[in-house]
Amino acid sequence: MKTHRLNMTASLLIGISAFAVQAFASEPTVVPEQPPFPAQGKITYVSRDSILEFKALPEYREPEWVTEKFVKAGKLPPVAERLPKEPMVFKAGNMPDGMGVYGDVMRHVIGGRPEGWNYSAGQTQGWGGIDIGMFECLTRTAPLFQVEADDMEPLPNLAKSWDWSEDGRKLTMHLIEGAKWSDGDPFDADDVMFYWEDNVLDSSVSPLNGATPETFGEGTTLKKIDQYTVEWTFKEAFPRQHLFAMAYGTFCPGPSHILKTKHPKYAGTTYNEYKNGFPAEYMNLPVMGAWVPVAYRPDDIIVLRRNPYYWKVDEAGNQLPYLNELHYKLSTWADRDVQAIAGSGDISNLEQPENFVESLKRAANESAPARLAFGPRVIGYNMHMNFSGNGWGDPDERAKAVRELNRNLDFRKAVTMAVDRKKLGEALVKGPFTAIYPGGLSSGTSFYDRNSTIYYPHDLEGAKVLLEKVGLKDTDGNGFVNFPAGKLGGRDVEIVLLVNSDYSTDRNLAEGMVGQMEKLGLRVVLNALDGKQRDAANYAGRFDWMIHRNTAEFASVVQNTPQLAPTGPRTSWHHRAPEGGEVDVMPHEQELVDIVNKFIASNDNDERTELMKQYQKVATTNVDTVGLTEYPGALIINKRFSNIPPGAPIFMFNWAEDTIIRERVFVAADKQGDYELYPEQLPGKPGESGPIN
């Protein structure tokens, strides 16, 4: 056969063999090395046990005004009686600026809006770290960015310790004893069991951040032993990986004594009434976190005040938090960066690259109120294709035909080859920020292996050849390929792309994909929804393609690991089981499932590293997701704050609001501002309006 050049048009290839057609596509290769980024901050690595411990101290302290106005007035018990037997003690040696002083506010700006406070039933609080400040989880992982790799295990939290049985199939967890919710009600195993039995296990409830039974291992059970002890039983031996799933945001119990009053099992209500039973206007919801919601003005502000029953202290016995108040100004996500740089806001995760250059310019000024620190490239975007071929999301005939294409490897290769990732990145920001990302694990995780990352280089003509091989040709001459005559009447292939309209980066990437797919001959139509509606459409399977910012499983691997593959009916972002059915996994997905399950069951670091190399190769070779771009984020923090860990990434195990351990953050007395809206006031009774003084 005559040799043809790679750039020959697809029209000249009609009639030649499938073997020859395949040869025109660019050969897969190892992903290019990323450009250096010297602005990245340096992390100081420590051992896990250098961060905190649980122990009783000889005496405890609190803000003087709490003692004077509340304890002496008989409105609160003394601080020692409000703390657990052995509170969590943060070690001063791990505090960058040492133990702090009380006072001041951290002012956040967010683009989200609160649905309500029922985290357990799936309501969002508006994001931006509100839920992280309110809810505590069994374990904690965000501070692990600073922990040495060979010491990597979640930190204790509500579960102060745990023990494995000899065969490794049972895990006994010891809860913190004597801790209380912010209204003074005891925290105990009943709260843990309510979250597990009546939220996670109840298929009619979808907790925020998507906790399912499979999140903790298929067939896993949990039972109460006594008021401060619970016991997990697993199918595999020593699945330490599940300890990471017990951190934010998949095992963060709510106040059962409050939530049960709206739950169908206990109150005879409907599930909709349960989910929406604690709207944003409901104040003073009891929490285990450091701050309690006390004020909400729609499209204006949410205010949280210190929790008088918070169960963490510093080594001097000072009850945390140091900061009295948190503000959440309700604006836009882009405005968050602007206000943090300007000094009218205090913190931002600079995660939208469109704002990088201007933010760097402003922060470089010596008089700038905020400092800016970049972390590793852990913010990545994938385009997920809906792989369900058996009815997830109740697709119509058009959507079924698209999913059939999504399940075809040559079609997926065509799509990924048509993506000009360099142009996508440069459309977001110029400079050494973005990098080519073909999909799979983030380059910022310690499990990333470049040589296992398969990349299909940009080759539009080769991509068109692959579309023809699949049977898609432009038969009506309008520039878009058509289905074969026997399918949908030979109409244009039309694909609906789901995107979050709240973020400019998401929208810009989606619009870029529409343009690039048009060059390939695919008509892509945007379905831009706000975050809550987008999440609902995702969980329900109502999408063909979806722009999705990577979550913790891609950035850390050890967090939310089951979500790396369809290991259960509701673990994968793009392939779930229909109601009453099973996941119809493709061969490469089964490989990924097997790899992930082996990883979860393994306690051998070398084996786990090798398994993730296999995962990366299978995922990227088979285009499990279409990677779009990857870039670093930067923490913008007002210079008046102390105890900000050096090199803290804005996202790895969790977002920066958790990574910096806000309950330890303080403002030196000579730098404090007059920002408190409710000075010397504490949360009121659940459901009552506002704080009390």
Side-chain angles (χ1 to χ4, degrees):
M1 177 179 286
K2 182 179 178 181
T3 302
H4 294 267
R5 294 190 301 274
L6 286 177
N7 64 352
M8 184 168 288
T9 61
S11 61
L12 296 179
L13 296 171
I14 297 173
I16 66 177
S17 71
F19 174 82
V21 170
Q22 182 64 34
F24 287 97
S26 294
E27 293 298 319
T29 184
V30 172
V31 66
E33 288 195 58
Q34 297 190 347
F37 189 66
Q40 181 178 329
K42 302 299 180 186
I43 298 171
T44 301
Y45 289 96
V46 299
S47 63
R48 182 172 162 271
D49 62 7
S50 70
I51 299 174
L52 59 86
E53 62 183 328
F54 289 85
K55 69 176 183 179
L57 298 178
E59 60 179 347
Y60 299 101
R61 302 180 180 88
E62 62 190 350
E64 185 178 347
W65 59 267
V66 176
T67 305
E68 293 297 321
K69 290 196 169 189
F70 291 88
V71 176
K72 290 185 177 180
K75 296 178 181 177
L76 271 182
V79 62
E81 295 177 17
R82 303 197 309 269
L83 289 166
K85 244 168 85 172
E86 294 183 329
M88 178 186 287
V89 181
F90 281 111
K91 296 184 178 181
N94 185 248
M95 297 181 177
D97 300 300
M99 291 182 287
V101 296
Y102 291 119
D104 215 314
V105 174
M106 184 173 283
R107 300 167 299 165
H108 305 70
V109 179
I110 63 172
R113 297 295 185 270
E115 287 183 301
W117 309 116
N118 198 346
Y119 182 103
S120 297
Q123 282 193 316
T124 71
Q125 287 69 59
W127 305 110
I130 299 180
D131 52 345
I132 296 169
M134 292 174 57
F135 300 102
E136 298 274 355
C137 313
L138 290 182
T139 63
R140 192 174 190 179
T141 57
L144 293 179
F145 79 93
Q146 62 183 311
V147 171
E148 296 155 346
D150 59 0
D151 197 20
M152 188 62 65
E153 185 171 274
L155 297 169
N157 204 45
L158 291 175
K160 62 181 292 187
S161 63
W162 45 82
D163 309 301
W164 291 96
S165 62
E166 190 172 338
D167 65 0
R169 297 183 187 277
K170 291 186 183 296
L171 176 70
T172 303
M173 273 192 158
H174 308 283
L175 306 176
I176 184 165
E177 188 173 340
K180 297 177 177 66
W181 293 91
S182 57
D183 64 347
D185 194 83
F187 165 79
D188 55 30
D190 291 337
D191 297 302
V192 174
M193 296 310 300
F194 172 73
Y195 179 73
W196 174 255
E197 293 178 343
D198 300 314
N199 293 276
V200 176
L201 295 186
D202 191 329
S203 60
S204 297
V205 181
S206 297
L208 193 64
N209 289 306
T212 70
E214 297 77 32
T215 303
F216 310 94
E218 195 168 348
T220 296
T221 62
L222 178 65
K223 71 176 182 179
K224 173 183 172 181
I225 302 299
D226 59 40
Q227 286 303 103
Y228 297 107
T229 313
V230 294
E231 182 185 82
W232 296 87
T233 301
F234 305 102
K235 282 188 174 181
E236 294 82 20
F238 297 105
R240 290 186 170 87
Q241 193 60 43
H242 295 319
L243 289 168
F244 289 87
M246 298 172 196
Y248 179 90
T250 44
F251 211 111
C252 312
S256 64
H257 65 291
I258 298 294
L259 298 182
K260 283 181 178 180
T261 64
K262 301 288 185 179
H263 194 286
K265 178 177 173 181
Y266 305 93
T269 56
T270 66
Y271 282 103
N272 189 57
E273 288 171 330
Y274 171 54
K275 179 177 181 179
N276 298 301
F278 304 93
E281 293 77 13
Y282 183 102
M283 292 292 95
N284 304 305
L285 181 86
V287 303
M288 291 300 290
W291 298 276
V292 183
V294 298
Y296 165 62
R297 296 196 293 268
D299 288 323
D300 182 12
I301 196 169
I302 297 171
V303 181
L304 289 80
R305 287 291 293 176
R306 64 180 303 114
N307 174 1
Y309 287 89
Y310 199 49
W311 43 282
K312 302 179 186 181
V313 301
D314 64 20
E315 285 187 324
N318 295 304
Q319 185 188 35
L320 300 176
Y322 295 125
L323 298 173
N324 286 329
E325 200 167 273
L326 298 185
H327 293 175
Y328 285 88
K329 299 178 186 178
L330 304 179
S331 182
T332 66
W333 294 114
D335 189 44
R336 175 174 65 165
D337 299 338
V338 172
Q339 292 206 39
I341 287 292
S344 52
D346 290 326
I347 184 173
S348 180
N349 298 326
L350 183 57
E351 58 196 82
Q352 298 186 69
E354 297 90 338
N355 296 338
F356 281 3
V357 174
E358 185 62 28
S359 297
L360 277 168
K361 286 179 182 177
R362 294 192 179 191
N365 191 319
E366 285 188 13
S367 63
R371 59 183 183 268
L372 192 153
F374 278 94
R377 286 188 179 94
V378 291
I379 300 181
Y381 276 85
N382 272 294
M383 189 184 78
H384 293 250
M385 296 180 174
N386 193 324
F387 283 167
S388 173
N390 64 348
W392 176 44
D394 296 322
D396 59 17
E397 292 306 310
R398 181 207 58 80
K400 289 178 182 177
V402 171
R403 295 184 187 192
E404 187 178 327
L405 292 173
N406 292 344
R407 292 172 67 91
N408 185 301
L409 179 57
D410 284 326
F411 178 76
R412 299 198 300 275
K413 286 181 181 178
V415 171
T416 197
M417 288 165 55
V419 178
D420 188 335
R421 292 170 173 84
K422 189 170 184 294
K423 282 189 177 178
L424 280 181
E426 289 177 347
L428 299 177
V429 60
K430 304 286 186 183
F433 298 101
T434 63
I436 288 176
Y437 169 59
L441 304 180
S442 164
S443 65
T445 175
S446 59
F447 289 98
Y448 176 77
D449 179 60
R450 176 173 164 262
N451 291 321
S452 301
T453 306
I454 302 304
Y455 170 55
Y456 295 91
H458 176 56
D459 177 5
L460 186 57
E461 295 306 319
K464 290 180 178 179
V465 169
L466 284 174
L467 280 193
E468 284 206 33
K469 182 184 176 187
V470 175
L472 302 180
K473 301 177 184 179
D474 179 12
T475 56
D476 56 14
N478 69 349
F480 294 105
V481 297
N482 301 80
F483 285 108
K487 186 180 289 290
L488 297 177
R491 61 191 273 192
D492 287 348
V493 174
E494 183 176 284
I495 298 167
V496 179
L497 176 60
L498 178 63
V499 62
N500 188 338
S501 62
D502 291 344
Y503 291 91
S504 59
T505 304
D506 297 57
R507 294 194 308 269
N508 289 338
L509 286 171
E511 289 165 1
M513 286 298 291
V514 169
Q516 293 195 10
M517 291 302 102
E518 183 175 342
K519 293 178 181 178
L520 178 60
L522 293 176
R523 185 195 300 275
V524 176
V525 179
L526 291 187
N527 180 23
L529 302 175
D530 65 44
K532 291 179 288 189
Q533 292 178 313
R534 192 221 71 104
D535 290 348
N538 178 192
Y539 297 147
R542 298 191 304 269
F543 65 95
D544 299 334
W545 293 356
M546 172 179 67
I547 299 291
H548 193 258
R549 185 171 62 185
N550 286 350
T551 42
E553 66 273 15
F554 289 107
S556 72
V557 176
V558 293
Q559 188 87 4
N560 301 338
T561 310
Q563 293 178 186
L564 285 170
T567 54
R570 293 186 288 169
T571 59
S572 169
W573 292 107
H574 56 268
H575 198 182
R576 298 189 174 191
E579 190 69 32
E582 297 180 350
V583 183
D584 53 338
V585 294
M586 295 182 284
H588 88 271
E589 291 180 292
Q590 187 60 56
E591 287 187 70
L592 295 178
V593 168
D594 293 343
I595 292 169
V596 169
N597 285 336
K598 287 178 183 176
F599 180 90
I600 290 171
S602 175
N603 293 299
D604 184 303
N605 287 336
D606 291 338
E607 181 186 28
R608 285 157 67 90
T609 298
E610 186 58 37
L611 284 167
M612 278 301 113
K613 288 181 181 179
Q614 295 174 26
Y615 174 91
Q616 185 75 342
K617 191 162 190 177
V618 173
T620 53
T621 299
N622 290 279
V623 197
D624 190 63
T625 60
V626 178
L628 302 179
T629 191
E630 191 174 48
Y631 54 86
L635 176 64
I636 307 174
I637 188 78
N638 195 286
K639 292 176 181 176
R640 75 180 195 279
F641 290 100
S642 297
N643 270 350
I644 306 299
I650 71 163
F651 179 71
M652 185 170 284
F653 295 91
N654 198 3
W655 289 101
E657 290 87 354
D658 196 12
T659 300
I660 64 173
I661 316 178
R662 278 182 299 180
E663 61 266 38
R664 301 187 325 185
V665 171
F666 70 94
V667 178
D670 62 342
K671 294 181 179 179
Q672 291 187 10
D674 185 20
Y675 301 124
E676 291 188 49
L677 294 179
Y678 299 97
E680 300 190 355
Q681 297 182 52
L682 289 176
K685 293 181 180 179
E688 293 188 355
S689 61
I692 57 173
N693 57 29

